[in-house]
Amino acid sequence: MPRSLLVLSALSLALAAALVACAPSGGPKPGAAAAPAPLAAADVASEKAKISYVVGRDFARSVEPIRAELDTELVLRAVRDAQAGRPSLFDDSETKRIRDGFSAHLRDKHDEEVKALAARNLAAGEAFLAKNAKAEGVKTTASGLQYQALREGKGARPQASDTVRVNYVGTLIDGRKFESTYDTDHPAEFVLAQVMPGWTEGVQLMAPGAKYRFWMPPKLAYGERGLAGQIEPNSVLAFEVELLEVAGQGAPTHDE
């Protein structure tokens, strides 16, 4: 999964963007000095040395997602030039042009990576659902929702306007868990019409006490946008859901 664009500090982004624009292509130049030996703990014994080291490590982490775009030696030289009070090679207008152009480049690169990932996930999800539809006990609705009854319940099924109480585990199709009420101190409670379409449709098939397994295609889940940091675009989601109670119309008694 490609990294999202890191929200860099204004200082880090300004420095990285400006410097990469003037970075020469190619590897080390003939006659360049060898890299210094790695630091040892004894080299950073004073408080000034320690905070200097921490600041350097923090800066390195902040630009890690764009490291391939940077000439590290030029970054270090620019820092030293700035500390020595030497004027910038670019005036404010040119610096802004370079920075804005680099930001646009990063956005375009990220968008292309997301599109490619979404296309791969869509193809993988369609293949999974086609195979899963043939599994014993699995049914597919007109919307494309797939479900399997693990245990039936009794009583009236909920309507979309009802508040329900459920326990559930959510996983990706590779089995990785991303959410579970069993990891909290209470079940989930919500108005059925206010959640993702796959949930709204699927839980209405259940009676209280039932336990179903659902597989939701992207259009019934988080779609091509996904959920930043948790769900990739065009992901098929699997949920094992136990309907504990239909509480009737109205707002939940507490938020999740």
Side-chain angles (χ1 to χ4, degrees):
M1 175 180 182
R3 291 191 181 96
S4 299
L5 290 178
L6 186 64
V7 181
L8 302 175
S9 69
L11 175 62
S12 297
L13 182 56
L15 177 61
L19 292 174
V20 70
C22 64
S25 60
K29 303 298 184 292
L39 287 169
D43 298 321
V44 288
S46 70
E47 286 304 308
K48 181 178 181 179
K50 289 176 182 177
I51 191 60
S52 298
Y53 183 80
V54 168
V55 167
R57 298 287 297 201
D58 287 345
F59 175 76
R61 279 194 296 272
S62 75
V63 298
E64 176 62 25
I66 57 172
R67 184 174 62 167
E69 308 275 354
L70 302 176
D71 183 315
T72 303
E73 290 305 313
L74 268 178
V75 170
L76 297 176
R77 287 179 63 181
V79 170
R80 294 188 184 104
D81 280 357
Q83 289 181 328
R86 299 186 182 97
S88 173
L89 298 178
F90 310 109
D91 62 22
D92 291 347
S93 176
E94 180 67 0
T95 295
K96 183 178 184 304
R97 185 195 66 77
I98 294 168
R99 185 183 297 123
D100 291 347
F102 183 63
S103 296
H105 163 71
L106 289 180
R107 286 193 300 271
D108 291 344
K109 182 178 179 180
H110 174 260
D111 290 347
E112 288 303 314
E113 290 173 345
V114 170
K115 288 179 183 178
L117 177 63
R120 291 196 300 271
N121 285 343
L122 184 62
E126 289 175 346
F128 171 85
L129 290 171
K131 181 178 180 180
N132 193 59
K134 301 174 184 177
E136 183 178 358
V138 174
K139 299 179 180 180
T140 304
T141 70
S143 71
L145 176 71
Q146 294 183 355
Y147 69 95
Q148 181 183 46
L150 304 179
R151 182 180 70 233
E152 293 292 2
K154 295 180 180 180
R157 291 176 171 81
Q159 301 297 312
S161 58
D162 288 337
T163 296
V164 297
R165 292 179 67 245
V166 298
N167 271 322
Y168 68 90
V169 178
T171 61
L172 304 176
I173 57 176
D174 63 6
R176 285 180 292 163
K177 181 176 71 174
F178 61 85
E179 192 173 14
S180 173
T181 58
Y182 299 104
D183 296 335
T184 66
D185 60 353
H186 53 74
E189 186 172 338
F190 47 78
V191 178
L192 201 49
Q194 296 178 358
V195 292
M196 68 177 62
W199 269 85
T200 303
E201 178 184 357
V203 176
Q204 289 185 82
L205 301 172
M206 305 172 70
K211 189 173 186 178
Y212 278 28
R213 184 174 289 128
F214 297 103
W215 295 270
M216 302 179 187
K219 66 181 180 180
L220 300 180
Y222 289 108
E224 62 183 11
R225 297 185 63 181
L227 186 62
Q230 297 184 56
I231 307 297
E232 293 182 355
N234 280 342
S235 290
V236 171
L237 303 184
F239 290 94
E240 191 168 289
V241 181
E242 183 179 14
L243 177 59
L244 304 176
E245 181 183 4
V246 180
Q249 295 185 340
T253 58
H254 57 259
D255 295 329
E256 285 304 302

